[in-house]
Amino acid sequence: EAQVTQNPRYLITVTGKKLTVTCSQNMNHEYMSWYRQDPGLGLRQIYYSMNVEVTDKGDVPEGYKVSRKEKRNFPLILESPSPNQTSLYFCASSFSRQGNNSPLHFGNGTRLTVT
Amino acid sequence: GNSVTQMEGPVTLSEEAFLTINCTYTATGYPSLFWYVQYPGEGLQLLLKATKADDKGSNKGFEATYRKETTSFHLEKGSVQVSDSAVYFCALNPGGYNKLIFGAGTRLAVHP
């Protein structure tokens, strides 16, 4: 089954403790992206990747890192999480970087709480 | 800049009622427009899209028409079902790479 898989689904951590949220897709997609969803703000892009070893900042990159060493994986790293990073995170992928004919496929989300 | 404004929810309807969720946008150039739906506990799924002015996107009984003159992309359905209860997001792609600008989302609750 074609899918985007995120882990974990739920994560509670403390301020400053490094964490990684994994994202994997099995559709051989070139383009991958991370979003955070906050009430009243919709989804905002954190980082994106157009292909292996090619990543760039989205609209809200502060406090996050990503890597794209393999085509299928795109982990999101929080080196020193803070309470304002408490949010619902989504990974998404698409076949190409051109959005009009290449819809985004979303994972089921990771709910992160930082205390 | 680029932005999307959706009507605030929640929207509560009885089964078989008519649905409209308003969406307006601000964009430079000629964006593509999308509606995504998020069911409880799941990620977003593409519901429909329109890539140029006057295009109508449709899927599962939902429709939306790309109106350049009013910069709108309102979502409509003639007869909603309980299974349509979800959060609906309007979004635009300003062009270039696959980045979506989302509205805040509108929660729809349909009761029997």
Side-chain angles (χ1 to χ4, degrees):
Chain A
E1 180 187 353
Q3 58 187 1
V4 178
T5 304
Q6 295 178 231
N7 280 297
R9 288 295 306 273
Y10 301 92
L11 180 57
I12 301 173
T13 190
V14 296
T15 298
K17 185 176 181 182
K18 180 179 177 180
L19 66 91
T20 299
V21 183
T22 63
C23 174
S24 180
Q25 49 89 7
N26 62 0
M27 296 169 278
N28 200 35
H29 283 173
E30 277 189 356
Y31 180 89
M32 298 185 74
S33 181
W34 277 101
Y35 286 82
R36 61 178 288 173
Q37 181 182 2
D38 300 291
L41 296 176
L43 281 79
R44 294 175 293 167
Q45 191 182 55
I46 303 170
Y47 268 94
Y48 64 94
S49 169
M50 296 208 191
N51 215 323
V52 175
E53 302 290 4
V54 181
T55 64
D56 208 345
K57 297 177 181 178
D59 295 320
V60 288
E62 294 77 19
Y64 304 95
K65 285 175 55 178
V66 293
S67 69
R68 187 93 182 272
K69 293 186 170 58
E70 308 163 280
K71 198 171 188 179
R72 63 183 293 130
N73 295 324
F74 190 46
L76 179 69
I77 303 154
L78 284 71
E79 294 270 4
S80 182
S82 62
N84 65 11
Q85 293 178 298
T86 292
S87 187
L88 179 59
Y89 291 87
F90 287 101
C91 181
S93 71
S94 65
F95 182 70
S96 81
R97 61 182 176 181
Q98 298 302 322
N100 295 346
N101 293 311
S102 183
L104 281 172
H105 296 256
F106 283 83
N108 283 344
T110 295
R111 186 167 292 282
L112 171 65
T113 302
V114 183
T115 61
Chain B
N2 301 305
S3 66
V4 176
T5 303
Q6 288 181 238
M7 62 186 289
E8 286 190 27
V11 174
T12 304
L13 295 173
S14 299
E15 208 165 21
E16 299 184 2
F18 185 85
L19 168 71
T20 300
I21 300 178
N22 290 338
C23 171
T24 57
Y25 68 90
T26 302
T28 54
Y30 303 96
S32 296
L33 302 174
F34 303 82
W35 277 100
Y36 277 80
V37 58
Q38 183 181 31
Y39 298 104
E42 298 183 11
L44 282 72
Q45 303 173 27
L46 179 63
L47 181 60
L48 54 84
K49 69 177 184 181
T51 57
K52 60 183 188 298
D54 299 325
D55 267 3
K56 178 186 281 188
S58 62
N59 186 24
K60 299 181 182 180
F62 291 90
E63 292 183 343
T65 301
Y66 187 164
R67 302 281 188 208
K68 194 169 188 299
E69 64 277 11
T70 54
T71 62
S72 65
F73 192 55
H74 305 320
L75 182 69
E76 296 182 336
K77 187 175 185 184
S79 176
V80 294
Q81 306 301 312
V82 172
S83 57
D84 293 327
S85 298
V87 180
Y88 292 82
F89 291 91
C90 185
L92 70 83
N93 183 337
Y97 69 94
N98 201 354
K99 173 182 176 177
L100 291 176
I101 310 294
F102 285 89
T106 302
R107 182 174 300 277
L108 170 67
V110 181
H111 55 83

